[in-house]
Amino acid sequence: MADLSKRCSGRGAKELINGQLIAEAKRSLQFSSMPIKEIALQLNFATPDQFSHFFKKNVQVSPKDYRMLFTNLGR
C-alpha cells in the first residue's frame, strides 16, 4: 500500500491520510459551530488533546486559534 501510494502520488500512505484528516478538520472548524471535542471524536481521535496536538503539529496553530482566525475575518 505504501509503495503504491508513493509511486502514484509521490507521498506515503500516512502522509496522504494525515492530509485528509487535516483537510476535514479545517473544514469542520471553519464551517461548523461543532465543539472541538466533537470534531476530535468525529475524526476518530481518542481524546480532544490528541487531536489538538496532531492539528497544531501539522498546521502550526491550535484548532481553537484556527477557528478564531475565521470567525474574526467576518467582523
Side-chain angles (χ1 to χ4, degrees):
M1 175 71 175
D3 290 341
L4 179 62
S5 66
K6 193 75 160 180
R7 274 185 286 158
C8 293
S9 70
R11 297 177 6 189
K14 183 176 180 180
E15 191 178 352
L16 291 171
I17 292 167
N18 286 350
Q20 286 301 116
L21 278 171
I22 290 297
E24 187 56 39
K26 285 180 173 181
R27 227 176 280 120
S28 294
L29 290 165
Q30 288 176 41
F31 301 113
S32 82
S33 58
M34 189 184 321
I36 292 170
K37 66 181 182 180
E38 291 297 321
I39 294 171
L41 294 174
Q42 185 180 33
L43 294 175
N44 293 316
F45 284 88
T47 66
D49 286 340
Q50 184 187 36
F51 168 69
S52 292
H53 178 77
F54 171 82
F55 191 88
K56 189 166 186 174
K57 179 180 174 187
N58 286 279
V59 184
Q60 283 70 52
V61 65
S62 71
K64 181 181 176 183
D65 290 344
Y66 185 85
R67 177 175 267 169
M68 284 177 36
L69 287 170
F70 286 91
T71 55
N72 290 337
L73 283 177
R75 293 180 185 183

